[in-house]
Amino acid sequence: VPEGDTVHVAARKLHRALAAQRIERSDFRVPRFATTDLRGQTVREVDARGKHILMRTDAGVTVHSHFAMEGEWRIYAANARARGPNHEMRAVLDTERARAVGYRLAILEVLRTANEDDVVGHLGPDPLRADWDAAEAARRMKQHGGDTISDALLDQTIVAGWGNVYRNEINFLRGHHPERLVRDCDVEATIALGARLLRANRERAGQVTTGNLRDKNWVYSRARLPCMRCGATIEKRNDTARVTYWCPACQPG
Ligand SMILES: [Zn+2]
């Protein structure tokens, strides 16, 4: 499941491969944009906001994509054969130097760059961007005082970037039971910790929250294993789309 740091890494790779390159062929395999043709436009930059990727051209056009659970962009040499099943390819962009292929993209759309706010304007501050604003993030989270901290950490309109791995790990590191309400949490400290974790992983693929590459996470994906801090058995609950893990001793109810 891609989290914000994974998406930023992907955007930087795309930027390095495509920026300043002229598009020689574009192929969008979604009905609405099947006839959209970006040939002749030059890629200006590839940017990320939260889990959204924004590829902008010199013609004022943005290709907006979102991975959701399984999407990815892969970069190949120019004219190389793309791997993977054809039906999973949603977008193919060819430049003189590289071929970029988007697989299983949950969102793929082409819009005017001037209208980007229509698709990403709802997002909260992103800890991986230069315009990160921790105070604004805290203000937004406090407006959700009656929500559980688990819901608030996943709400991309509060902070754009955390997914389910970080949600579970932030709660462990702050000693929050997953059902604790936002109003009973130290919002500023929670946001500061979550921002630090995202930044610590900005240059690598994968979410290390323990500082240890072998045992990467405290509770995520560790159901029935002993807590690495106290030895209690990690619990798991699966009653929503997102799986919850917690240590009953370190995160009392
Ligand atoms: Zn524990």
Side-chain angles (χ1 to χ4, degrees), residues 66-152:
H66 189 287
F67 293 157
M69 303 303 267
E70 307 203 281
E72 61 174 322
W73 280 94
R74 287 187 213 160
I75 296 153
Y76 301 95
N79 298 314
R81 196 181 149 78
R83 286 183 293 274
N86 210 51
H87 68 269
E88 293 186 349
M89 300 176 193
R90 292 283 174 277
V92 181
L93 289 171
D94 285 320
T95 70
E96 195 181 337
R97 278 205 328 226
R99 163 170 286 175
V101 181
Y103 296 84
R104 301 175 300 279
L105 303 172
I107 296 174
L108 175 65
E109 58 187 348
V110 184
L111 66 153
R112 304 296 308 169
T113 301
N115 297 336
E116 276 182 12
D117 265 1
D118 294 350
V119 294
V120 291
H122 64 289
L123 295 174
D126 175 345
L128 294 176
R129 290 180 59 90
D131 59 6
W132 166 240
D133 183 343
E136 171 62 10
R139 190 189 68 77
R140 289 178 179 227
M141 191 174 281
K142 286 175 180 173
Q143 289 177 336
H144 293 259
D147 290 0
T148 66
I149 188 66
S150 292
D151 286 345

Side-chain angles (χ1 to χ4, degrees), residues 172 219 226-234 246-251:
F172 174 83
V219 290
C227 172
M228 290 188 282
R229 187 174 277 167
C230 77
T233 303
I234 302 296
W246 76 102
C247 171
C250 294
Q251 300 166 259

